[in-house]
Amino acid sequence: MKTHRVITIIGWLITGLLLFLWQEQYLPFHYEYMEQFRLFHYNTEYFIDHCSYPSGLMEYLASYLIQFFHLPYIGVGTITILLLLIGIGIQQIFKRIAAHVDMPLAYLLPALLLLFAGMDINYHLEGTLAFTLTVWLLNAQIRIVRPEYRIFSGVLLSWLLFYMTGPAFVLFALCSVIYEWHKQELPKMYAVLLLPVAVLPACYAYFIQHSEPLRILFLPDAYSNHKLEGQTILYYTWITLPLLFTLACLLNRWKKPVSSFVKGLSVSIQLLAVIIILFQGNEKYNSPSLTQVKELDYYSRNKQWDQILNMQTSSSNNIFSTCFKNLAMAQKGILADKGLHHKQLGNKALWIDWDQSSTVSTLLSDLYYAMGHIALSQRYAFEGVLSSEWEVNPYLFLRLIQTNLIFGHYNIAEKYIRFLEDTRYQEQAHAYRKFLYNDALLEQDKELGGKRKGVSGSKGLSEMQGLTHDLLQIAFANPDNQIVLDYVGMYILFEKNIPLFKMFIENFYEAPGLQPMPTHFQEAIVFSYESQPERWKEFGITEAIKKRFEEYKRLDIDSRLSPSLVNRLRSGFGNTYWYYYTYHK
């Protein structure tokens, strides 16, 4: 018996390690991505508010745990522990009801299904917490010997579960009824009555208080975004638990002896099934494109620009990832030097169209903030907050502090600072307090002061006359802003609008933000002023660019006569503006 216990402990430790490593491999940025859509407040009012409605306590606990998911391994570790608790809890149920069988597939199946459900960003951690609590309360319930006490505790625990977790009480009540039918220690009428009595609080909430729709009070839809249809995988998980309870009760009545060989073969087959389910489920529920979105978002929020540039994207025609890469190059000051060293999709990938999603809103807010278009940055920060399910995003709240400080709206900035000062973002928010009502100090700050310079020197940045017009105003107001100059110049070049580029370069070739003149702008200048080579030196054209242009012209003419030279032209000059202008459709 002791040996079997040691083997069981070792088995669960190995299972936990494998689950942890598997999530690290296939969900590397998932839990960090989840963290930005919750905000836990360390105050009494926040706790009391969550105690005031069913499932509020579980939401409180989930928010508390999620705030730590930004730390390495914490999200993966938390989920691994919860999944192990579910598996061990179900094993204990089987051990109590059908101790003579080993069913590793049964123990792990609900945990795996919840792991797959959690791959959806609309899933709530509350669902996993509620399922874990339900499994262990069922363990406590079936250990009560006196049947009349079990009926009484079944009702009370169902009511407690409804208050703490929401609809998970339905699972508990249903499994309790199945167990009472199995035990047959009381008339079946008592077992049947347990279920309708257990749902009384939920019925009261629906018919009297009208607090939530039926599907939120009684179904697993409560554990995903309420505005969307419930996840099918959650229903699979819920169906699994009463089915496993029924299976355990049926196996209890099967007393035929089984040889050690058959037991070993059965366990081996079940473990193989677990592995197959794990990888098949990952293929179905873990979207590679969404994984890439999470990775790009993570690197951008943490300003890891080199990681973005080194990423292998799932598609060379991905406008979203190209926009991120352009932002990364702009932040590193190399967009107009090396922009064409990466696959470009025209000016539509410099600032992508808004699709009303939180992730694109965050990207656009970052992009316009970097350019110095503070009005648009603030707008998309608002949109990003409102488009998230909980209407919170601490990263964007910090952006709203920055934008309101730049505009001089100190009273609004102070509200956001106070809002974040009882969260884990306290230190970051508090760092902005020194700028409140202090124009002189703010204008001395390299980042905020520089952004204000671009705003104060421009008029009517409303995008009414086009974004390019707004950005040019910012550039005139603050010619030190290299990012806005790079973006405007590259936008014009991607449009292949040579007359407009010449106007742009005539106005800004001496701007501090274009010193020294970026490589792609030099290439465009040589190309645009080919008939006026005497002006090249005035615009800062280097000897290397002159020689390379001469070589390009010669090879370009030769390739038209000899198609075999086209590949040589592409390999030698495919990252130049000359090649982009001539051959990019």
Side-chain angles (χ1 to χ4, degrees), residues 401-402 404-408 410 432 434-436 438-452:
I401 292 174
Q402 294 170 323
N404 280 290
L405 286 173
I406 292 166
F407 281 130
Y410 294 125
Y432 289 106
K434 63 185 179 183
F435 297 114
L436 291 174
N438 192 334
D439 289 336
L441 183 62
L442 186 140
E443 289 167 8
Q444 291 172 11
D445 184 77
K446 183 178 179 181
E447 179 181 333
L448 300 179
K451 306 293 185 189
R452 175 176 282 190

Side-chain angles (χ1 to χ4, degrees), residues 340 344-351 465-469 472 486-501 504 521 524 527 577 580-582 584-585:
L340 292 173
Q344 288 293 346
L345 303 172
N347 52 35
K348 60 185 177 181
L350 286 174
W351 44 81
Q465 299 183 54
L467 182 57
T468 310
H469 173 268
L472 284 170
D486 284 357
Y487 264 104
V488 172
M490 293 301 288
Y491 183 88
I492 295 169
L493 292 183
F494 285 158
E495 280 194 322
K496 301 182 181 180
N497 190 334
I498 297 302
L500 183 58
F501 177 76
F504 167 77
F521 289 0
F527 187 72
Y577 185 68
Y580 180 92
Y581 183 90
T582 307
H584 189 276
K585 303 299 181 182

Side-chain angles (χ1 to χ4, degrees), residues 292 296 308-309 311 313-330 335 339 342-352 363 367 487 494:
Q292 181 178 290
L296 287 165
I308 291 177
L309 295 176
M311 275 183 63
T313 55
S314 58
S315 170
S316 61
N317 294 318
N318 191 323
I319 294 177
F320 182 75
S321 62
T322 305
C323 188
F324 264 109
K325 289 194 173 188
N326 286 332
L327 175 60
M329 286 188 284
L335 176 60
H342 296 265
K343 171 77 173 181
Q344 288 293 346
L345 303 172
N347 52 35
K348 60 185 177 181
L350 286 174
W351 44 81
I352 62 175
L363 169 59
L367 195 155
Y487 264 104
F494 285 158

Side-chain angles (χ1 to χ4, degrees), residues 484-528:
V484 72
L485 288 168
D486 284 357
Y487 264 104
V488 172
M490 293 301 288
Y491 183 88
I492 295 169
L493 292 183
F494 285 158
E495 280 194 322
K496 301 182 181 180
N497 190 334
I498 297 302
L500 183 58
F501 177 76
K502 293 175 75 172
M503 291 176 60
F504 167 77
I505 217 67
E506 293 280 357
N507 281 282
F508 291 106
Y509 73 94
E510 293 182 315
L514 291 184
Q515 305 304 318
M517 184 65 69
T519 301
H520 293 322
F521 289 0
Q522 288 191 54
E523 292 166 351
I525 290 169
V526 170
F527 187 72
S528 305

Side-chain angles (χ1 to χ4, degrees), residues 537-554:
K537 186 175 182 180
E538 176 188 354
F539 292 130
I541 305 303
T542 64
E543 288 297 321
I545 293 293
K546 294 178 186 177
K547 291 179 180 178
R548 199 163 186 226
F549 180 63
E550 292 170 1
E551 185 181 350
Y552 169 81
K553 291 287 289 184
R554 182 170 58 254

